[in-house]
């Protein structure tokens, strides 16, 4: 790695790899119905920019926030926490609990939302249900109780196994076969997040959703389901990628999203 006279913590690019400014991203986000902010879970720059964007959008008017990091069976407890009715420890005891990096990476956004009255929506599928799909495919969802089904999109779940992202997941399995339910477990997460984004989307209010980049890269994943469930909504996507140097966007990262954040590989990890 060659030395840099003025190292920078990140660079922002258009889909084609042209340098972009944060002001343009913010303006685009203001006019979108839904913003899918794809993060790298342990990257501090992702979380700082998410917090910054949430504050800037909120300063322009009303805002809703959705988070992959909370599962749909945690919504009632999350609402109580935001209203100051229960402690963080009590919230951590519900469902599968809080992510291990919650305090460093997500609490600042949640606390800001609580302070200014922004709703925070738990959008992700409960992990036991995702594991059930991994074991038995979508057919296993028919075994769920009526109460459990309320935590999901309406059944049956639309699914296209030929989407490139799901194909790549299948290819990750040993021998490239025998794991047909592996991408289904990803799809149930994508579908559930899309469904609960739409279910909680208020007219004229931008909905900022925080999720791993792999859930929205290449306009697939959550974005594919949003287009299935509500094709008239304007969706903007952001992806975060790591590169050794960030002066130029590498070819393999182009066209991943409407805006691509390149961060140095040596950037401090939060875990």
């Amino acid at each position: 790695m060659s030395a840099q006279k003025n190292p920078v913590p990140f660079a922002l690019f258009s889909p084609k790899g042209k340098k972009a400014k944060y002001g343009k991203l913010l303006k685009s986000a203001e006019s979108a119905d839904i913003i899918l902010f794809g993060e790298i879970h342990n990257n501090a720059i992702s979380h700082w920019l998410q917090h910054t964007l949430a504050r800037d959008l909120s300063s322009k008017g009303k805002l809703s926030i959705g988070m992959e990091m909370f599962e749909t069976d945690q919504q009632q407890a999350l609402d109580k926490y935001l209203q100051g009715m229960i402690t963080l420890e009590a919230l951590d005891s519900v469902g599968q609990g809080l992510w291990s990096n919650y305090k460093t990476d997500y609490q600042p956004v949640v606390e800001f939302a609580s302070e200014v009255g922004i709703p925070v929506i738990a959008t992700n599928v409960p992990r036991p249900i995702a594991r059930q799909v991994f074991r038995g495919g979508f057919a296993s969802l028919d075994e769920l109780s009526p109460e459990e089904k309320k935590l999901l999109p309406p059944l049956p779940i639309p699914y296209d196994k030929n989407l490139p992202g799901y194909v790549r997941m299948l290819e990750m399995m040993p021998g490239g076969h025998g794991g047909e339910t592996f991408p289904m477990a990803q799809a149930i997460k994508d579908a559930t997040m899309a469904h609960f984004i739409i279910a909680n989307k208020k007219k004229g209010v931008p909905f900022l959703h925080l999720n791993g980049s792999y859930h929205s890269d290449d306009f697939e994943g959550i974005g594919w389901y949003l287009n299935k469930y509500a094709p008239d909504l304007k969706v903007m996507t952001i992806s975060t990628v790591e590169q050794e140097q960030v002066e130029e966007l590498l070819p393999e990262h182009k066209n991943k999203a409407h805006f691509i954040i390149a961060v140095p590989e040596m950037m401090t990890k939060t875990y």
Side-chain angles (χ1 to χ4, degrees):
M1 179 177 177
S2 60
Q4 297 179 1
K5 292 183 179 180
N6 294 294
V8 294
F10 74 95
L12 186 62
F13 296 93
S14 73
K16 293 184 178 180
K18 183 178 179 180
K19 284 282 185 71
K21 294 185 180 296
Y22 173 76
K24 184 176 180 180
L25 182 152
L26 176 59
K27 186 174 181 180
S28 181
E30 289 171 15
S31 64
D33 295 307
I34 298 165
I35 305 102
L36 300 178
F37 197 130
E39 66 175 44
I40 297 173
H41 291 320
N42 64 355
N43 182 266
I45 292 295
S46 290
H47 305 304
W48 171 64
L49 283 171
Q50 287 170 339
H51 193 181
T52 299
L53 183 59
R55 286 180 173 273
D56 288 342
L57 286 172
S58 177
S59 72
K60 305 289 184 178
K62 292 183 178 180
L63 176 68
S64 296
I65 296 175
M67 299 179 68
E68 173 196 355
M69 302 78 203
F70 290 106
E71 297 167 13
T72 52
D73 58 351
Q74 295 175 301
Q75 186 66 62
Q76 289 185 343
L78 177 57
D79 290 341
K80 290 180 180 179
Y81 176 72
L82 292 168
Q83 295 164 19
M85 298 171 61
I86 64 172
T87 64
L88 186 64
E89 289 71 25
L91 177 60
D92 192 19
S93 70
V94 176
Q96 298 294 296
L98 298 171
W99 285 23
S100 60
N101 60 325
Y102 173 80
K103 287 187 177 180
T104 54
D105 297 343
Y106 306 111
Q107 185 167 326
V109 171
V110 174
E111 294 303 323
F112 167 68
S114 177
E115 290 169 9
V116 299
I118 295 173
V120 179
I121 308 302
T123 62
N124 205 359
V125 68
R127 274 166 276 181
I129 296 178
R131 287 194 290 267
Q132 180 171 321
V133 171
F134 178 67
R135 290 192 300 266
F138 287 129
S140 68
L141 296 175
D142 294 332
E143 304 167 8
L144 297 175
S145 69
E147 285 302 309
E148 288 173 316
K149 289 179 180 178
K150 291 179 182 179
L151 304 173
L152 301 173
L155 302 180
I157 304 294
Y159 178 61
D160 183 355
K161 67 179 182 180
N162 296 314
L163 286 175
Y166 296 152
V167 170
R168 286 193 296 271
M169 291 192 72
L170 189 57
E171 291 172 347
M172 290 168 58
M173 299 300 289
H177 59 82
E180 289 79 8
T181 59
F182 184 36
M184 289 182 186
Q186 177 85 347
I188 190 63
K189 296 178 182 180
D190 295 335
T192 303
M193 286 189 270
H195 171 74
F196 282 93
I197 289 171
I198 293 167
N200 292 278
K201 173 74 178 72
K202 298 176 182 177
K203 187 175 181 180
V205 178
F207 193 110
L208 174 63
H209 190 262
L210 313 185
N211 55 264
S213 284
Y214 47 85
H215 284 293
S216 54
D217 276 354
D218 304 309
F219 308 99
E220 295 181 23
I222 301 170
W224 187 86
Y225 281 99
L226 287 172
N227 188 55
K228 277 284 183 183
Y229 293 146
D232 293 335
L233 291 178
K234 182 180 178 182
V235 180
M236 171 188 149
T237 61
I238 303 168
S239 180
T240 309
V241 301
E242 288 184 320
Q243 300 184 170
E244 183 178 357
Q245 309 244 359
V246 299
E247 286 76 14
E248 295 184 9
L249 188 65
L250 295 177
E252 59 263 35
H253 296 319
K254 292 180 180 180
N255 299 307
K256 279 185 178 289
H258 294 107
F259 291 91
I260 300 128
I261 302 161
V263 298
E265 291 175 351
M266 65 177 292
M267 175 58 61
T268 302
K269 303 291 192 291
T270 57
Y271 65 90

